[in-house]
Amino acid sequence: MFPTSRRSVPAPAIFRRLLLATALAAGLATLAGCAPGQAEEAAPPPPEVGVMEVAPREVSQWDEVSGRIEAVESVELRPRVSGYIERVHYTEGQLVEKGEVLFTIDARSYRAALARAEAELVRARTQAELGRSEAARAQTLVDLQAISREEFEQRSAAAAQATANVQAAQAAVEAARLDLEFTQVRAPVSGRAGRALVTAGNLVSADNGAVLTTVVSVNPVHVHFDTDEATFLRYAAMARRGERPSERDGRVPVQVGLVGEEGFPHVGEIDFLDNRVDPATGTIRVRAVLDNADGRLTPGLFARVRVLGSGRFQALLIDDKAVLTDQDRKYVYVVDAEGTAQRRDVRLGRIVDGQRIVEAGLAPGDRVIVSGVQKVFFPGMPVQPVPLATDEAPAVARVD
């Protein structure tokens, strides 16, 4: 008996192969026996997508810029006379009224100077009275030819000089009185006083003009910001067309928000536009005035400023979540009459009230897919549109 060259296969392995072949044959027979209608019923239904119908809406565009809050009046208090600081009368950081005494300078030498000037005034008035009487007697005597014309003219000149001395003495008294008054340093404006930079006992001089403190007004306040040339020219064109108030016709409204605030709760008006564009930066300085009765707007704060940038016009708005990007192009999906998703390339504008302006690519009545757009895999895909109410659309932050 010679050995065979073939390897023997165990019986269990043969049985398993036979069972697998039988199962495959049965599956193919089952699929072949299915009707076309039954295969279609096994396909999944079209996915649901949230749509919003595009409708024209009257809107206004606003431009957003950055600015700074500034005080309307800001004064550095400096001494007008020299001397030692005798007393500081205010609490640093408190509100002060116009005319309130903030510092007192030692006034003893200035009182003495005023008393001396007043004494000189009395003496000058006495000399002037004597000169007038002598001039009157000289007039009588010259009429009687009792004195010479030369002597008469000398007495008349002496009387005139005595009168002039009275005026000089009076001016000296006024100057001394002013110096004495300047020893009390008063607040020139109402507002908030800063830190006392010179305290009691220090010598101050009117010559070097050392700053004693600063006082800034608190209500109203200004907000300063810059705008570029293109925006400035657009505003000017709008004013010529009557879509925006000009500086002569009325003030342009602005809205201001601080860091950490939502939206723009503070409302004001532009009250100043600079007379030239800075050639170094290509911008022009603009100023607005804001009410600050509650004192929340502190000078120096960063401000987000929103300026009215257009008149009222009709625009098509969509939610920003509906916008997709294909390299450098923006597009959305709309649901047509057959219930399929179709791609539309769009040209977008600014955001108004949380929605994006569509300048081209859509028409009124188009149903734009807002939610579930990730379920659309290709243009022409069947979808099941579900209308969304306006308040159901997610809020979008304003980004220009």
Side-chain angles (χ1 to χ4, degrees), residues 43-63:
E48 292 187 356
V49 293
V51 299
M52 292 188 65
E53 185 173 331
V54 179
R57 175 181 165 190
E58 190 178 52
V59 298
S60 293
Q61 291 184 2
W62 293 76
D63 298 323

Side-chain angles (χ1 to χ4, degrees), residues 50-323:
V51 299
M52 292 188 65
E53 185 173 331
V54 179
R57 175 181 165 190
E58 190 178 52
V59 298
S60 293
Q61 291 184 2
W62 293 76
D63 298 323
E64 290 188 18
V65 294
S66 300
R68 287 284 175 183
I69 303 295
E70 300 290 345
V72 174
E73 296 176 306
S74 179
V75 183
E76 293 182 341
L77 267 67
R78 302 175 186 270
R80 303 180 69 173
V81 294
S82 302
Y84 286 93
I85 297 294
E86 190 174 77
R87 184 180 176 187
V88 179
H89 295 270
Y90 76 101
T91 302
E92 295 174 322
Q94 76 174 23
L95 293 174
V96 297
E97 297 294 330
K98 181 179 180 179
E100 184 177 341
V101 178
L102 304 183
F103 296 86
T104 296
I105 298 174
D106 186 5
R108 289 174 294 179
S109 60
Y110 296 100
R111 292 194 191 96
L114 176 60
R116 182 171 58 252
E118 290 175 341
E120 290 292 337
L121 176 61
V122 172
R123 184 172 65 180
R125 285 174 175 171
T126 302
Q127 292 293 334
E129 184 65 28
L130 177 61
R132 283 193 295 271
S133 62
E134 289 182 351
R137 286 194 299 271
Q139 181 66 52
T140 302
L141 294 175
V142 77
D143 292 340
L144 298 175
Q145 296 184 354
I147 60 173
S148 64
R149 173 61 64 176
E150 181 181 2
E151 185 177 356
F152 166 73
E153 291 176 353
Q154 289 176 351
R155 293 185 181 183
S156 298
Q161 183 177 0
T163 301
N165 290 340
V166 171
Q167 296 176 350
Q170 183 67 45
V173 169
E174 293 297 330
R177 186 173 289 116
L178 282 176
D179 287 343
L180 180 61
E181 182 180 341
F182 292 154
T183 59
Q184 291 186 329
V185 182
R186 301 177 181 271
V189 296
S190 297
R192 190 174 301 277
R195 181 171 65 91
L197 302 178
V198 180
T199 55
N202 285 283
L203 177 65
V204 294
S205 173
D207 297 331
N208 58 23
V211 178
L212 303 180
T213 189
T214 58
V215 179
V216 295
S217 61
V218 295
N219 187 32
V221 294
H222 284 153
V223 56
H224 294 260
F225 57 94
D226 296 323
T227 184
D228 58 84
E229 294 182 30
T231 304
F232 167 67
L233 294 175
R234 176 162 54 87
Y235 289 169
M238 289 169 53
R240 288 193 298 269
R241 295 193 302 265
E243 299 175 0
R244 175 189 179 99
S246 65
E247 290 76 17
R248 296 183 179 180
D249 300 333
R251 294 183 173 181
V252 179
V254 298
Q255 300 174 354
V256 176
L258 303 180
V259 174
E261 291 182 337
E262 293 187 4
F264 301 83
H266 310 282
V267 180
E269 296 175 330
I270 293 177
D271 69 337
F272 169 76
L273 180 67
D274 207 350
N275 58 0
R276 64 188 294 268
V277 174
D278 187 349
T281 61
T283 59
I284 188 169
R285 176 56 58 92
V286 186
R287 186 185 72 192
V289 60
L290 304 173
D291 180 73
N292 190 33
D294 56 2
R296 296 181 62 184
L297 302 176
T298 302
L301 287 177
F302 172 81
R304 296 177 292 108
V305 185
R306 194 163 75 161
V307 186
L308 182 63
S310 72
R312 306 291 294 181
F313 64 97
Q314 296 289 328
L316 298 179
L317 303 178
I318 62 172
D319 196 290
D320 233 9
K321 287 190 67 176
V323 180

